[in-house]
Amino acid sequence: MRVTEGVCILVVFLVGASAKPSIRVPQPDTDNVTMETSGTVGGCGILQGPPGRDGRDGLPGPPGTGSLSFADSRDLKKDIEGDLSDIIEAVVRNFTEEKMRSIAQPCTGLGSTSDQAAKSCGEIYQCNSEATSGLYWLTTGDEESVHQVYCDMEAWHCGVKGGWMRVAYINMRQPEAECPSPFRLVTSPKRLCGRPGNGCYSKTFSTHGISYNKVCGQARGYQYATHDCFRGPKDINSYYVDGISITHGSPRKHLWTYAVGYSDDLDLNGGNNCPCAKFPGPSPPSFVGNHYYCESGNTGNNELQFHDEPLWDGEGCGAGNNCCAQSGMPWFCRALPQEVDDDIEVRNCADQEIIDEDTYMEILE
């Protein structure tokens, strides 16, 4: 084995009691060092050591020569710009389509199932002005439960079209209709709802905690015997009217009154007629103001009978009587000063027993 430009040192450890290391150092000559070995591998002895580290990197080579002409570079630039333009256009288009889908998505099926319950009928109508009237699912005001309600999407009320939630509904023209408790079912001469006794009887209709600032409604009824209109106590919690009182909240706040007068054309010297009658009766309480309709189905004197002239329909009033001239009948509309979520209370009131006077409801909405 020949090693140039270096010296091999062989160290041998012998195992024995008196063994000592034997070190043999070859002496270099002017040209090289030659050493005899008895091993089969290794350079300077029997065993071969680990490989040395790699040498350092060489110097960089000379710069290469490009083969892309100016024209080719220009074409390549155009291709890259075109590709980028297509990519950007596709990204913008996809973003726009996704954005439009995200905007439209809440309206798809809104209110159609309990899992897609809306916050109000108005929200459904705002999302889809083509929505039809019918039953929809709404969340309660606290969003902890859902209820199915009827939404009117076609009617105009208070200058607003659609998005109205029906809170109360009685229609005794329907064969299967029943009077809600505590009202009494009257079967002759028509199916109607009356009081079960003296004084006021009320039914509260839930709004499910949904906020509102407009209320509209209609009522149609009939008069039995004689009524005293606004001759009762001037107290909203009492029978201040012979007729129907509609309020909201607690304490009660007045919405509308459907009053019944004694007679359409009898002069009672300021007695129990409507304030709008030919011979006017007492004015309504201050909390009622002008928010009422009043009519009488009775012509002439005291008649203890059912009067078949419908009340509050804006028709059938005699000469000199202004009760049928009020705009909007039978519908009323009230805009509230602020949003509320109060339930709606409907009371049927009178100051006498039902054998002396009663107001029969046929339609209430």
Side-chain angles (χ1 to χ4, degrees), residues 199-329:
C200 294
Y201 290 84
S202 72
K203 171 65 177 179
T204 299
F205 296 90
S206 175
T207 63
H208 308 298
I210 296 173
S211 298
Y212 59 91
N213 60 7
K214 292 183 175 67
V215 182
C216 62
Q218 67 164 325
R220 177 188 175 103
Y222 290 90
Q223 178 180 358
Y224 175 78
T226 58
H227 286 59
D228 302 324
C229 199
F230 288 116
R231 287 192 65 87
K234 307 301 183 183
D235 181 0
I236 195 171
N237 298 310
S238 184
Y239 42 83
Y240 69 89
V241 67
D242 285 1
I244 307 299
S245 170
I246 303 175
T247 59
H248 70 96
S250 178
R252 292 185 176 102
K253 292 172 279 293
H254 181 258
L255 286 172
W256 206 261
T257 295
Y258 287 90
V260 186
Y262 184 99
S263 175
D264 186 46
D265 57 3
L266 182 66
D267 185 358
L268 297 174
N269 295 318
N272 305 339
N273 289 342
C274 293
C276 51
K278 181 179 180 179
F279 302 101
S283 298
S286 59
F287 60 80
V288 173
N290 294 323
H291 301 137
Y292 72 95
Y293 293 141
C294 187
E295 192 175 349
S296 176
N298 180 24
T299 56
N301 206 343
N302 184 2
E303 300 179 24
L304 292 175
Q305 66 181 34
F306 173 85
H307 302 283
D308 60 3
E309 170 63 29
L311 301 172
W312 316 306
D313 62 349
E315 300 177 359
C317 296
N321 190 315
N322 296 320
C323 294
C324 292
Q326 301 182 64
S327 176
M329 294 181 75

Side-chain angles (χ1 to χ4, degrees), residues 26-62:
Q27 300 299 318
D29 59 20
T30 57
D31 294 327
N32 55 55
V33 176
T34 301
M35 181 176 180
E36 296 296 332
T37 67
S38 59
T40 58
V41 294
C44 295
I46 298 174
L47 300 177
Q48 181 179 358
R53 66 177 183 85
D54 293 338
R56 296 180 180 179
D57 295 336
L59 295 176

Side-chain angles (χ1 to χ4, degrees), residues 15-31:
V15 179
S18 60
K20 295 182 179 180
S22 174
I23 300 175
R24 208 169 34 159
V25 181
Q27 300 299 318
D29 59 20
T30 57
D31 294 327

Side-chain angles (χ1 to χ4, degrees), residues 156-167 207 210-217 248 255 332-342 344:
W156 283 87
H157 299 298
C158 301
V160 178
K161 179 182 184 294
W164 291 93
M165 179 179 73
R166 178 184 285 169
V167 177
T207 63
I210 296 173
S211 298
Y212 59 91
N213 60 7
K214 292 183 175 67
V215 182
C216 62
H248 70 96
L255 286 172
F332 76 86
C333 181
R334 286 294 307 275
L336 305 181
Q338 61 186 14
E339 283 194 352
V340 297
D341 58 5
D342 301 331
I344 304 294

